[in-house]
Amino acid sequence: MTQDEMKKAAGWAALEYVTKGSIVGVGTGSTVNHFIDALETRKEEIKGAVSSSVASTERLEKLGITVFDANEVAGLDIYVDGADEINAEYDMIKGGGAALTREKIVAAISDKFICIVDDTKQVDVLGQFPLPVEVIPMARSFIGRELVKLGGDPEYREGVVTDNGNIIIDVHNMAITDAKDMEKKINALPGVVTVGLFAARGADVLLVGAPEGVRKFEK
Ligand code: 5RP
């Protein structure tokens, strides 16, 4: 089974959490793209979606799924999104696709975070995947220096501008043993919009596409 087939299996498995008449929180990335394709098969039953990126909005609308602004909804039952890494506590690194800030907002307004991944994303310690940080452009050098003080090896992601008009710094070589603490520390730096650590609000349900099928875990 290829990695994409495992992503697809996880994406389609999330469909069982979609309820009639609901507005669904939709993340970003290649795994979520499979979920969006699955959601199309239920589009007559749902009201629509709140999206975490321009890319997901375009895909949803192309398939005829109504996209609501996050400000139009009081809350969402579920948020379905992928991850770059997830540990045993369901803390995640996200933002490989640079959509981390909007993802964090949609996750925050949702009751249940359903994380869909292939089995290469499960790790013991977060940090092998470079940790993305969305930063206001004028703070780039300052934040770089601060990230070095926190033990990381920051790298400016060349040529990437986020949907919010900011830049991404990827932090290499940081073994993150206390994800909640590191999330707080990085988020507290002036100029950081958000860090791609999702620990204060981690996942609630984990669907892992694996060669033998989809493994389901619930907190
Ligand atoms: C985008 C994300 C994605 O969820 C993460 O990068 C995983 O992507 P993929 O499903 O393509 O492997 O956080 O900002």
Side-chain angles (χ1 to χ4, degrees), residues 3 7 27-32 81-84 93-100 103 116 118 121 129 198:
Q3 189 180 13
K7 288 180 179 197
T28 300
S30 55
T31 316
V32 165
D81 200 359
D84 298 301
I93 287 185
K94 293 184 43 54
L100 59 162
E103 291 175 342
I116 49 175
D118 64 83
K121 307 285 185 73
F129 188 93
F198 286 57

Side-chain angles (χ1 to χ4, degrees), residues 58-155:
E58 281 172 1
R59 193 177 183 97
L60 286 158
E61 287 181 338
K62 209 166 143 200
L63 294 175
I65 298 168
T66 306
V67 177
F68 294 88
D69 188 283
N71 293 303
E72 291 180 89
V73 302
L76 299 168
D77 294 342
I78 62 164
Y79 176 57
V80 180
D81 200 359
D84 298 301
E85 283 184 349
I86 183 159
N87 68 14
E89 281 76 46
Y90 300 179
D91 304 326
M92 295 164 280
I93 287 185
K94 293 184 43 54
L100 59 162
T101 301
R102 293 190 187 194
E103 291 175 342
K104 220 174 241 195
I105 295 166
V106 188
I109 62 174
S110 302
D111 290 340
K112 202 175 251 194
F113 189 133
I114 298 163
C115 180
I116 49 175
V117 292
D118 64 83
D119 70 355
T120 64
K121 307 285 185 73
Q122 287 183 290
V123 297
D124 292 328
V125 178
L126 297 173
Q128 186 91 354
F129 188 93
L131 174 65
V133 186
E134 180 166 355
V135 172
I136 303 278
M138 74 169 285
R140 189 185 76 201
S141 301
F142 165 65
I143 297 298
R145 292 192 294 273
E146 294 300 306
L147 290 168
V148 170
K149 285 183 202 162
L150 288 172
D153 202 349
E155 184 188 19

Side-chain angles (χ1 to χ4, degrees), residues 149-170:
K149 285 183 202 162
L150 288 172
D153 202 349
E155 184 188 19
Y156 171 47
R157 202 185 291 182
E158 294 276 354
V160 171
V161 177
T162 69
D163 287 349
N164 315 305
N166 299 310
I167 60 158
I168 297 286
I169 295 177
D170 293 305

Side-chain angles (χ1 to χ4, degrees), residues 160-190:
V160 171
V161 177
T162 69
D163 287 349
N164 315 305
N166 299 310
I167 60 158
I168 297 286
I169 295 177
D170 293 305
V171 191
H172 297 256
N173 304 319
M174 197 150 68
I176 303 162
T177 46
D178 187 341
K180 282 192 184 70
D181 181 58
M182 189 57 81
E183 182 177 11
K184 259 192 216 155
K185 281 183 177 148
I186 297 178
N187 274 342
L189 297 170

